[in-house]
Amino acid sequence: MDALKLKVLIARRAPADVVEKLSAHFDVDFHDGEAPLSADELRARLQGKVGAYITGTERITAELLAACPELRAVCTMSVGYNHIDLAACTARRVLVTNTPDVLTETTADLGFALLMATARRMGEGERLLRDGLWKSWAWDFLAGADVHGTTLGILGMGRIGQAIARRGRFGFGMNVAYHNRSRLPADTEAELGARYLSKDELLRQADHLILVLPYSAESHHCIATAELALMKPTATLVNIARGGLVDEDALAAALREHRIAAAGLDVFEGEPRVNPALLSLPNIVLTPHIGSATMPTRLAMARLAADNLVAALTGAPPPTPLNPEVL
Ligand code: DGY
């Protein structure tokens, strides 16, 4: 402990070089346990800390901020920040940073992998093979949906949505359509070959619909019974953004009744708990929130979060602030 150094909390396990870097600048309290801190533990460990290095598993609420008045910077190792009350942080002049850009291509890769696995029924095939149930070739055995040449619907057209659009258009000759809160500039649409559609029209036209929009009160359950009813019975739905975008009970019912063909989910509303209704279905591929999980990308995210924390507390401009107005 160094009385002259500012105190910060590293709230989750982090790469050794990140812990070293932060320890060189700050008096670090490092939670290196496997499980996330509970809300009470987080509040206790944040007492007297001016900075926090967190991940998507720590919730920064208005109540927590009120209980930790010395906090000046919260740096999350994630691009999503729905676990942080940004307005409350801004009101208390707490700087918040995230880790955009460094995970865009890796997350788009996972989105496309999940789309392919879902359309081509790879989860079903793997389970059947491992269970010793592969008996012979048959003309319609595990016949799924084509990906190439079909219509790719992208809901949410930020950086990751655009990276997925490029994979679809240039890798698989797909017709790309999208819906977003704000329409892309005409030259970006032309470059991506992406058509802007209303949300309902996107749901009607997509052969494969991928969700890449931020989660918020407005986007909560933006795919529920009414939206699923607009989709083609042959369509697939992929979610790599946040679980709360989808009404999981409505999705399970649509999959059970073959109102859509299949789904691929990397994120879940109560994760790491997974809705049992989803677990019991064959026509769904499930992965445990691994969109950005490659070692180079996770290292880049961790280092960017650490760079943000050092800059925020040493008077330098943080690379990726979410509320720069507090600086
Ligand atoms: C992100 O960066 O937002 C990923 O979902 C990991 O939390």
Side-chain angles (χ1 to χ4, degrees), residues 8 10 29 88 92 101-102 115 122 202 226 243 259 267 304 322:
V8 304
I10 302 179
D29 175 11
R92 287 188 171 269
D101 299 320
V102 292
L115 190 160
M122 293 175 71
L202 187 75
R259 285 186 269 118
V267 285
L304 179 53
L322 285 164

Side-chain angles (χ1 to χ4, degrees), residues 80-248:
Y81 53 90
N82 55 292
H83 53 297
I84 300 173
D85 186 334
L86 186 60
C89 286
T90 304
R92 287 188 171 269
R93 304 197 67 75
V94 174
L95 180 79
V96 182
T97 67
N98 68 341
T99 58
D101 299 320
V102 292
L103 48 52
T104 299
E105 299 299 329
T106 296
T107 306
D109 283 350
L110 188 280
F112 224 87
L114 198 48
L115 190 160
M116 298 287 289
T118 304
R120 298 301 304 272
R121 304 176 62 179
M122 293 175 71
E124 278 175 85
E126 217 227 354
R127 285 192 296 276
L128 173 149
L129 184 151
R130 284 180 186 271
D131 290 347
L133 298 174
W134 184 22
K135 299 301 177 207
S136 105
W137 186 96
W139 78 271
D140 57 352
F141 179 57
L142 287 175
D146 269 324
V147 172
H148 70 275
T150 61
T151 295
L152 171 62
I154 303 176
L155 192 53
M157 199 57 147
R159 303 174 188 84
I160 298 171
Q162 292 177 39
I164 289 168
R166 281 194 291 279
R167 282 158 178 74
R169 171 149 199 232
F170 302 116
F172 291 82
M174 299 176 88
N175 307 307
V176 177
Y178 77 100
H179 179 76
N180 198 43
R181 246 186 333 194
S182 45
R183 194 170 166 170
L184 295 176
D187 56 341
T188 311
E189 281 189 356
E191 182 219 321
L192 298 171
R195 282 179 301 135
Y196 181 81
L197 296 176
S198 69
K199 181 181 165 193
D200 283 3
E201 204 44 47
L202 187 75
L203 293 166
R204 284 191 194 97
Q205 290 193 23
D207 294 305
H208 305 287
L209 179 72
I210 185 157
L211 309 183
V212 214
L213 66 164
Y215 179 64
S216 65
E218 297 86 69
S219 61
H220 176 74
H221 286 190
C222 66
I223 299 294
T225 304
E227 289 75 18
L228 291 162
L230 295 176
M231 294 178 70
K232 300 178 186 182
T234 50
T236 66
L237 172 72
V238 172
N239 186 8
I240 59 165
R242 286 293 181 266
L245 295 171
V246 176
D247 177 338
E248 291 173 347

Side-chain angles (χ1 to χ4, degrees), residues 58-82:
E58 289 69 53
R59 290 192 64 224
I60 305 295
T61 61
E63 295 72 40
L64 180 80
L65 293 169
C68 307
E70 286 165 75
L71 204 55
R72 297 270 53 89
V74 171
C75 300
T76 183
M77 180 200 155
S78 62
V79 68
Y81 53 90
N82 55 292

